[in-house]
Amino acid sequence: MSYSYRGGAEGWGKKNQNVTPLDPEAEGGVSAENSTRSNGRTTAATSSWKDKIFGIAVLRWVNAAAYVTNAIITYGVGMYGGSFGLSTNSEVSAYYQTLVTPVAWSFAVVWSIIFAAQAAWVLRQFCIKPSRSDGGAAGSNSEEAEDDKSKSATAEKAVKAVGYRYLTAVICQGSWTICFGKEYIIASFVLMMCIWINLLTIVRNLDTLSYDLQASVPSRMKDYVLDVLPFAVHFGWISAAFVVNANVLMESQEVESNGMYGAAIGSLVFIMILAFVLICRSGYLTAPLVLVFALLGIYAELANPQADIVAAFEAEQIDTIRLAAVGTAVVVLLVIIVQATRQYRVYKREQKEEAVHLAKVARGAPVYFRAPY
């Protein structure tokens, strides 16, 4: 008895052996052969359309255009907003100063990393050979061609996992820059939430990808740096920026200093809980590490606070937030180290088990089915 894949939720099932074919002579009837061919053509046409729209051949250009647009708006409007009738990000942040605003240089450091990593991610896409379903040319059957195809497979899957989410994140981020420069703080808060959701979705989609356990550590690190790091760092920083934006919103609504002090404490608690969830529940390490950097940025800023902060809050309150920020950073960093150690041990164990499994397969020994990693 043969088996075939039916698709959808049905999964793998047996072929129906007792199907009575339709009578091609009957009125309105269609032969089973013609019906199959028609359905095949429809499915192939639909699949081809989706492959072209969501394939690497299209996505690489969409992502490149989104990156250039993001760079122009973020650095152009964000740094030289006066030329466009807008306030710069630094000017708005200085006007709505909060207890959880990181030091100015921390923004420059993180955004430099984000843009550099995403530039490498975009450029790498133009080095990927599209599969035939995406419009690529048919390759030879040589070992070299198969090796090139294997090397491009992981990167292509990573780009497809991101899909059009990077474009939507860039649209939201550009809109946020303009709204923030116009001091539309409520709108900027909503847009910041949209950016965060898009980046969270990207990171979670990338987390579903599988990698070869037998690949060397440098090879795995290269894939991580090029495929995941650009969005893990971006997500971590936007998580911190989301908290700052919430405090800026409260400041714009002229909440009194005691309320802002309570909001600062709540913000640190939120950051710590978010970091623990990302580390312990999802196993993420890069984004929590960026949160640690943001906390250290808060600590550095409050070491020499702005005049508005000194005037609005008591020295004891400023010192409390400052010490709480560095304390939270230390705790989160320790948890990151523990989780990283645990993940490395699990990786080495699974790598050893996979090596044993492959050795059994190589010598023809009977093995149980293993789900792909």
Side-chain angles (χ1 to χ4, degrees), residues 74-97:
T74 301
Y75 278 101
V77 178
M79 298 296 293
Y80 306 101
S83 302
F84 303 93
L86 303 171
S87 301
T88 65
N89 291 346
S90 300
E91 291 172 347
V92 178
S93 297
Y95 185 76
Y96 296 107
Q97 189 72 22

Side-chain angles (χ1 to χ4, degrees), residues 110-351:
V110 174
W111 280 115
S112 296
I113 295 173
I114 291 172
F115 274 99
Q118 291 181 356
W121 174 73
V122 169
L123 291 174
R124 188 193 194 194
Q125 295 172 43
F126 289 90
C127 300
I128 300 173
K129 296 180 180 179
S131 60
R132 295 187 63 182
S133 62
D134 289 345
S140 64
N141 294 325
S142 65
E143 292 184 4
E144 183 178 354
E146 289 297 325
D147 184 57
D148 291 341
K149 182 179 178 181
S150 176
K151 290 180 180 179
S152 298
T154 300
E156 185 173 357
K157 289 179 180 178
V159 175
K160 290 182 177 180
V162 175
Y164 287 88
R165 288 287 183 179
Y166 178 65
L167 175 63
T168 55
V170 165
I171 292 173
C172 292
Q173 189 161 294
S175 302
W176 177 89
T177 301
I178 295 173
C179 287
F180 197 67
K182 283 287 189 180
E183 298 186 30
Y184 300 152
I185 304 302
I186 296 177
S188 71
F189 177 76
V190 174
L191 288 167
M192 182 67 74
M193 185 183 300
C194 293
I195 302 170
W196 188 85
I197 292 172
N198 273 281
L199 291 173
L200 174 62
T201 304
I202 290 174
V203 171
R204 290 181 64 86
N205 287 348
L206 290 172
D207 194 44
T208 63
L209 297 177
S210 59
Y211 293 91
D212 182 10
L213 285 173
Q214 298 306 311
S216 63
V217 173
S219 176
R220 289 172 63 89
M221 287 299 298
K222 183 197 72 174
D223 289 335
Y224 179 82
V225 169
L226 292 175
D227 296 334
V228 182
L229 184 69
F231 302 102
V233 176
H234 198 173
F235 171 67
W237 190 248
I238 290 298
S239 297
F242 178 72
V243 172
V244 176
N245 209 151
N247 282 261
V248 168
L249 176 61
M250 295 179 64
E251 181 68 24
S252 69
Q253 299 301 311
E254 299 181 352
V255 176
E256 61 181 20
S257 59
N258 286 335
M260 294 302 300
Y261 175 69
I265 294 176
S267 298
L268 296 180
V269 173
F270 173 80
I271 290 176
M272 183 173 63
I273 293 175
L274 176 63
F276 286 170
V277 170
L278 293 175
I279 297 168
C280 301
R281 185 177 178 83
S282 302
Y284 301 152
L285 301 179
T286 303
L289 197 59
V290 176
L291 290 176
V292 170
F293 183 77
L295 290 167
L296 294 177
I298 296 172
Y299 173 81
E301 174 64 23
L302 294 180
N304 185 25
Q306 300 292 326
D308 292 343
I309 294 295
V310 175
F313 301 96
E314 299 178 2
E316 183 178 353
Q317 292 176 323
I318 297 174
D319 289 340
T320 298
I321 298 299
R322 180 169 177 256
L323 294 176
V326 71
T328 304
V330 170
V331 171
V332 173
L333 184 60
L334 290 175
V335 176
I336 290 174
I337 294 173
V338 171
Q339 180 69 2
T341 303
R342 175 182 173 277
Q343 288 184 6
Y344 180 76
R345 290 177 178 174
V346 171
Y347 161 70
K348 296 302 290 184
R349 185 180 71 245
E350 291 180 346
Q351 187 182 44

